[in-house]
Amino acid sequence: MAEARSAVAEPRVHYIEEGRDAKKDFFRAFRKSLFRRFFRFRNQLWNGLWPASLWNLGAAVASLSVLLVGDWDVFKPITTRLWWTGDLLHIHTGIPFYLRVLLVSTSVGILSFIALLYIRRYLLRILLGYRGWMYEAPRTQSASTIVWALLVRLVSGYRPATFSYQKSLPRMPVPPLKTTLKELIKSLKPLYGENSEEIRKLKQQSKEFERGLGQKLQRILVLKSWWDDNWVTGWWDKYVYLANRSPLPINSNWYCLDQSYYKPPTKPLARAAVAVYLYLEWRQKILREQLAPIVIRNTIPLCMAQYGKVFSSTRVPKEDCDQFVHYDSTESRHLLVIREGVHYKLDIFDVNGSFLSPESFEKQFNWIVEDAERNKDNYTDYEKSVSALTGIERVEWAKIRQDYFSQGVNSESLEAVDKAVMVVVLETKEFDVKDLSGKGKYTLHADGKTIWYDKSLSMIIYNDGKYGLNGEHSWGDVLVIAHIMESASSDEFVKYELLYNKDGNSLPYTSTQHGPLRKPVRLLWDVLPELSIQIERAVKFNQERNEDVDLCLSDHDAYGKGFIKKCRVSPDSYIQMAIQLTYYKDSGQEFALTYESAMTRLYLQGRTETVRSLTAEVVTFVKAMMDSDASNKEKIHHLQAACNRHQQLYRDAMNGKGIDRHLFGLYVLCKGLGHESEFLKSILCLPWTLSTSQAPQKQMAESPSNNLKKYEKMLSPGGGFGPVSDDGYGVCYMVASDHKMFFHVSSKTSCPKTDSKRFTGLLFKSLADMKGLFEEGQQSE
């Protein structure tokens, strides 16, 4: 049991150990505290003054001082006003002249600076609310858009920090109620039929709602949008994620994979050390706000709020609604490392407070592997499977956590888990380099007892050095993780010789002199007989759900976005059309309500909006493709019309003109005020049979080109998620390069209607048929 092992385990001494110099430790801690406070103060000052800066204030004071001292006739009206302002501020005329000049110019300069600061900030917010640029091609923009872009760059400050733009971002507007209801009916006609009984009923209900309760709810939403940072995000986080009582794995958590077919020549633990180091280096940049904000077309900034939640965060289960907790960097200074079911607390700083190097991380990981091998038999299967509890129903896990993890050694170990920067799983498994599906499926849910699903980010290092990420979803979206993974992968290959030696081990990389390492602490769990029963049930529950996941991850190398762009359509729209055509074939000529995720981070605290990809134009295109009598010219015309319509919907969703978040907000407000609306309830309960999303391959301009031959095997396949509907598909795709695309298709094995491998095969056939339309047209010409 845990009590017996604690007698022979390493003492849990957190700071001063035998033989250490207490005075030196005190001064080191004091110095680190000063540095931390300095960075925070600097960042707060910089962001508080942005888009202006202290240089602007200095220039204003200096200019006013020169005017007052020079006292030129041409500037008399200005200097007279300045001296009058000094009198108004009771700056005594009897003090020395130059001191009076300094006081007047400083006072007026500060007031002018504050006024200018807010004028620039609100002017930038107004300018960033313009969306005409999105509906114009980059190379054929109108004169008004060009002038607008110049004004944005002129008003924006110099060298923004990570969160500098936050106070200047526009707030997301509430769409007009009439427009939302009209677009809703329009989106459902392809599913039910133009003049079906369902559509007639929905039209009647929508009219009654618009004339009655809808008007009241709409007014309140508009008022909320005036004072809240984002009128929907808080509700979305709470009611879609935190209040959801379903298990996290498969239902909510996502996964991402590193390079597709590249096998690292390094030793597995060296790769683990470098990967962890590069991710933690990103964390340091975020904490110090040294990460440049993402700016589209070098002009339009995106909201960076989600970046502050990636690390040191956890989702704490509660009976009614979970709680998202983010820990300060003063509390979160360690990793949770899991090896063969044994949990370790690994400090990311040495005894002198210096950040560990890749070489030091490799030493620590080697120690953990050896220690786990020696001690794994001292742990029962139940103790090594505690993580399984995070994969069960949230209410059940909340009760178990309260009953068995609120005190004693379990409480201490759980606190270490919650406060960990991230989770690192040193797996003993590895997959064949071509078995992308097996690796993707395992990264999504593992074996049901290894991943701590509550943590915001878990890195699974496989025994061949490849890795994948599993993440909790309530804190943010996968675009952020894709950005971090892209940066880490690029840095690893660009700086390969600085990170690894010829033997495949990691190098120190930094010139910092490191002190002694803190030995990793093995976490202990006191598993009583009652708790062991719960853990056994959790493992069985998780593994049964895992077996029901049918995941197929394949690469499409017949062509990529290079050919699609020649068709003069959006690659995303083109792929969505292929998915619609594929589902029509797979389901026996049926259409399905389709969800596609679009980001809304052009607005403050924005997350996502839904693009309803099934449209009347899609139906026309699909039926034309299935009609042997239709000509290629007709099919291409319908394809381009469907793609144009889809692209319009996608742009509208990004611009806050989508309908689903609006309907969701109306429903939450309706329930919160004690009203009932069968209309809203019926709409929100419609199942998303097809759930789709695109993962970006490249978000950084400085990353190497994806089309270079030497990087072909290093392209990331992106990530995926479990099926949203029990009788539908989850499809995530990555447009990797001009020549390759990856598709992650998930479904339930228990559903007789679905088959992920079959769907993928039909999808590739659809893509080939669509390409054939253009090739045959070119040959005929």
Side-chain angles (χ1 to χ4, degrees):
M1 297 299 288
E3 289 84 354
R5 281 197 306 277
S6 64
V8 295
E10 181 186 359
R12 288 174 172 264
V13 181
H14 297 288
Y15 199 66
I16 301 175
E17 300 173 9
E18 187 177 354
R20 296 291 306 281
D21 190 323
K23 291 183 179 180
K24 289 184 178 179
D25 287 340
F26 172 79
F27 284 112
R28 287 193 191 102
F30 181 70
R31 184 185 63 186
K32 295 293 288 186
S33 176
L34 285 181
F35 274 117
R36 191 181 302 112
R37 291 174 184 272
F38 165 74
F39 279 114
R40 288 185 178 178
F41 175 76
R42 184 200 64 177
N43 293 337
Q44 289 173 354
L45 180 64
W46 185 270
N47 291 333
L49 298 179
W50 204 87
S53 69
L54 287 176
W55 293 108
N56 298 143
L57 175 60
V61 172
S63 300
L64 293 174
S65 298
V66 170
L67 287 178
L68 290 173
V69 172
D71 198 23
W72 295 288
D73 291 340
V74 68
F75 295 114
K76 275 291 184 183
I78 298 176
T79 55
T80 301
R81 285 286 181 181
L82 291 175
W83 290 123
W84 174 81
T85 303
D87 294 337
L88 196 65
L89 296 173
H90 301 288
I91 298 176
H92 201 276
T93 57
I95 62 177
F97 175 74
Y98 287 108
L99 177 58
R100 187 175 178 225
V101 166
L102 179 62
L103 292 175
V104 171
S105 59
T106 301
S107 301
V108 176
I110 290 174
L111 293 174
S112 303
F113 174 79
I114 293 173
L116 180 63
L117 166 64
Y118 281 96
I119 290 173
R120 286 182 67 177
R121 184 175 291 171
Y122 286 104
L123 179 58
L124 183 57
R125 180 179 293 180
I126 293 171
L127 287 170
L128 291 176
Y130 171 73
R131 291 288 179 265
W133 61 271
M134 187 177 289
Y135 298 90
E136 300 173 357
R139 296 181 181 179
T140 58
Q141 290 185 333
S142 63
S144 59
T145 297
I146 294 173
V147 172
W148 164 81
L150 292 173
L151 287 174
V152 171
R153 295 184 184 185
L154 183 65
V155 175
S156 296
Y158 175 69
R159 292 178 60 187
T162 306
F163 303 112
S164 291
Y165 277 108
Q166 295 301 104
K167 294 181 180 179
S168 300
L169 289 174
R171 293 178 178 176
M172 194 162 76
V174 179
L177 180 60
K178 186 173 183 179
T179 302
T180 293
L181 297 176
K182 179 182 177 181
E183 289 297 320
L184 170 66
I185 301 299
K186 190 175 181 180
S187 72
L188 293 175
K189 285 181 179 179
L191 187 66
Y192 294 125
E194 180 76 26
N195 299 309
S196 64
E197 179 62 30
E198 291 89 344
I199 293 297
R200 287 197 292 269
K201 182 179 178 181
L202 284 171
K203 283 182 177 180
Q204 180 62 33
Q205 288 179 332
S206 66
K207 288 180 181 178
E208 293 175 359
F209 179 76
E210 183 183 358
R211 291 194 297 262
L213 180 60
Q215 290 187 10
K216 175 183 178 181
L217 300 178
Q218 178 73 3
R219 285 195 294 269
I220 298 175
L221 271 189
V222 171
L223 287 173
K224 187 176 189 293
S225 71
W226 291 351
W227 57 263
D228 204 353
D229 286 345
N230 191 296
W231 60 269
V232 71
T233 294
W235 286 345
W236 186 257
D237 293 347
K238 180 177 180 180
Y239 295 110
V240 171
Y241 293 111
L242 298 177
N244 194 316
R245 304 290 80 196
S246 301
L248 296 185
I250 304 170
N251 291 329
S252 180
N253 283 31
W254 45 260
Y255 74 91
C256 287
L257 301 180
D258 65 345
Q259 295 78 19
S260 50
Y261 299 114
Y262 170 77
K263 190 168 184 178
T266 60
K267 295 180 179 179
L269 294 183
R271 179 85 194 289
V274 168
V276 168
Y277 175 84
L278 292 174
Y279 276 70
L280 293 181
E281 191 176 48
W282 251 76
R283 175 179 179 259
Q284 292 291 87
K285 290 180 181 179
I286 294 171
L287 290 174
R288 296 178 178 180
E289 295 198 40
Q290 295 170 339
L291 174 67
I294 296 180
V295 180
I296 301 175
R297 300 183 188 178
N298 295 319
T299 306
I300 309 102
L302 298 183
C303 178
M304 300 292 287
Q306 294 179 30
Y307 284 78
K309 305 174 186 177
V310 177
F311 302 99
S312 305
S313 301
T314 194
R315 177 169 168 173
V316 178
K318 301 291 182 181
E319 291 193 37
D320 294 324
C321 180
D322 290 354
Q323 179 183 6
F324 177 80
V325 180
H326 176 71
Y327 291 95
D328 189 84
S329 60
T330 57
E331 295 181 276
S332 180
R333 298 169 61 84
H334 64 272
L335 302 173
L336 172 66
V337 182
I338 304 174
R339 172 72 175 189
E340 297 191 83
V342 185
H343 300 72
Y344 293 85
K345 176 183 177 182
L346 171 61
D347 284 310
I348 62 176
F349 298 96
D350 62 24
V351 295
N352 293 337
S354 298
F355 185 51
L356 296 190
S357 67
E359 184 181 47
S360 298
F361 275 118
E362 184 179 357
K363 290 178 181 178
Q364 297 288 61
F365 289 155
N366 273 304
W367 187 95
I368 287 173
V369 168
E370 293 171 1
D371 186 76
E373 185 64 30
R374 287 193 304 267
N375 293 281
K376 64 181 181 179
D377 293 337
N378 295 331
Y379 286 73
T380 65
D381 288 341
Y382 306 117
E383 292 170 303
K384 290 187 287 187
S385 303
V386 170
S387 299
L389 295 171
T390 64
I392 61 178
E393 300 281 347
R394 302 306 290 174
V395 174
E396 188 178 356
W397 167 217
K399 292 177 180 177
I400 292 173
R401 178 171 166 133
Q402 178 64 35
D403 292 342
Y404 299 102
F405 293 87
S406 297
Q407 57 186 358
V409 68
N410 285 353
S411 177
E412 289 185 36
S413 295
L414 186 59
E415 182 181 15
V417 172
D418 287 344
K419 292 183 177 181
V421 174
M422 60 185 288
V423 178
V424 178
V425 180
L426 301 178
E427 259 295 346
T428 56
K429 287 180 176 289
E430 63 179 270
F431 294 87
D432 184 84
V433 71
K434 295 182 179 180
D435 186 13
L436 295 178
S437 298
K439 183 184 173 187
K441 178 175 165 61
Y442 192 85
T443 309
L444 174 63
H445 52 60
D447 56 2
K449 56 183 180 180
T450 297
I451 299 177
W452 199 279
Y453 299 107
D454 290 349
K455 290 297 293 180
S456 56
L457 184 63
S458 297
M459 178 183 290
I460 305 171
I461 311 288
Y462 293 100
N463 204 39
D464 58 357
K466 295 179 72 65
Y467 73 87
L469 302 174
N470 183 288
E472 198 275 317
H473 212 331
S474 67
W475 63 266
D477 303 303
V478 186
L479 286 174
V480 176
I481 293 297
H483 185 193
I484 298 175
M485 178 176 273
E486 177 190 347
S487 176
S489 298
S490 299
D491 286 348
E492 181 179 7
F493 292 109
V494 171
K495 304 173 183 177
Y496 186 89
E497 295 181 354
L498 299 175
L499 293 166
Y500 300 103
N501 62 22
K502 295 180 180 179
D503 297 326
N505 292 312
S506 57
L507 294 170
Y509 183 61
T510 62
S511 58
T512 305
Q513 294 294 322
H514 291 278
L517 302 177
R518 299 179 190 275
K519 190 177 293 185
V521 177
R522 203 176 331 120
L523 301 183
L524 307 177
W525 304 104
D526 188 6
V527 179
L528 300 173
E530 299 87 353
L531 180 57
S532 65
I533 295 173
Q534 299 290 352
I535 294 174
E536 185 177 16
R537 287 176 180 172
V539 172
K540 183 179 179 181
F541 175 80
N542 293 341
Q543 292 179 346
E544 286 177 352
R545 295 184 69 248
N546 294 349
E547 291 173 1
D548 195 29
V549 175
D550 178 18
L551 178 69
C552 181
L553 200 176
S554 301
D555 69 320
H556 177 272
D557 56 6
Y559 64 95
K561 65 179 179 181
F563 170 79
I564 299 175
K565 287 183 176 180
K566 293 179 182 178
C567 303
R568 297 183 179 180
V569 296
S570 159
D572 179 68
S573 299
Y574 183 96
I575 294 171
Q576 284 289 327
M577 297 310 109
I579 293 173
Q580 293 293 333
L581 177 58
T582 300
Y583 184 82
Y584 189 77
K585 297 175 183 177
D586 183 79
S587 63
Q589 300 191 345
E590 292 182 359
F591 291 101
L593 194 62
T594 306
Y595 182 110
E596 182 186 4
S597 177
M599 69 96 175
T600 56
R601 285 170 53 206
L602 290 167
Y603 296 101
L604 181 63
Q605 299 292 338
R607 286 200 61 168
T608 61
E609 175 59 280
T610 304
V611 180
R612 294 185 170 226
S613 301
L614 179 63
T615 62
E617 291 80 1
V618 168
V619 172
T620 303
F621 160 69
V622 170
K623 289 185 176 180
M625 287 295 292
M626 301 297 291
D627 184 1
S628 58
D629 294 330
S631 67
N632 283 357
K633 186 176 181 180
E634 289 176 314
K635 293 176 181 178
I636 291 173
H637 170 75
H638 293 312
L639 170 61
Q640 290 176 336
C643 287
N644 291 337
R645 173 60 178 160
H646 174 268
Q647 193 170 22
Q648 176 75 23
L649 291 174
Y650 199 98
R651 288 166 172 166
D652 287 346
M654 290 182 65
N655 290 334
K657 297 179 182 178
I659 65 174
D660 284 278
R661 298 301 176 270
H662 189 194
L663 293 169
F664 168 78
L666 291 169
Y667 178 77
V668 171
L669 197 56
C670 177
K671 295 289 287 185
L673 294 176
H675 299 291
E676 289 293 336
S677 172
E678 287 300 320
F679 168 68
L680 289 176
K681 185 177 180 180
S682 63
I683 292 300
L684 290 177
C685 289
L686 289 174
W688 297 105
T689 307
L690 267 178
S691 181
T692 67
S693 180
Q694 179 184 184
Q697 176 68 230
K698 190 174 180 180
Q699 300 184 65
M700 300 168 57
E702 60 270 24
S703 294
S705 172
N706 300 334
N707 296 313
L708 295 176
K709 188 70 176 178
K710 64 179 180 178
Y711 294 127
E712 185 177 3
K713 292 184 178 181
M714 298 178 183
L715 296 175
S716 168
F721 47 84
V724 174
S725 173
D726 289 342
D727 59 353
Y729 291 100
V731 183
C732 189
Y733 48 95
M734 164 81 79
V735 184
S737 69
D738 285 347
H739 315 289
K740 180 172 288 193
M741 298 181 285
F742 292 93
F743 291 90
H744 306 243
V745 179
S746 63
S747 61
K748 295 288 184 70
T749 58
S750 58
C751 178
K753 297 180 181 180
T754 58
D755 185 306
S756 296
K757 190 173 182 179
R758 182 186 70 210
F759 188 93
T760 303
L762 289 172
L763 178 59
F764 285 12
K765 178 65 169 57
S766 298
L767 289 168
D769 292 343
M770 290 166 66
K771 183 183 181 185
L773 298 177
F774 295 89
E775 289 180 334
E776 291 177 19
Q778 292 173 355
Q779 290 174 2
S780 63
E781 291 176 3

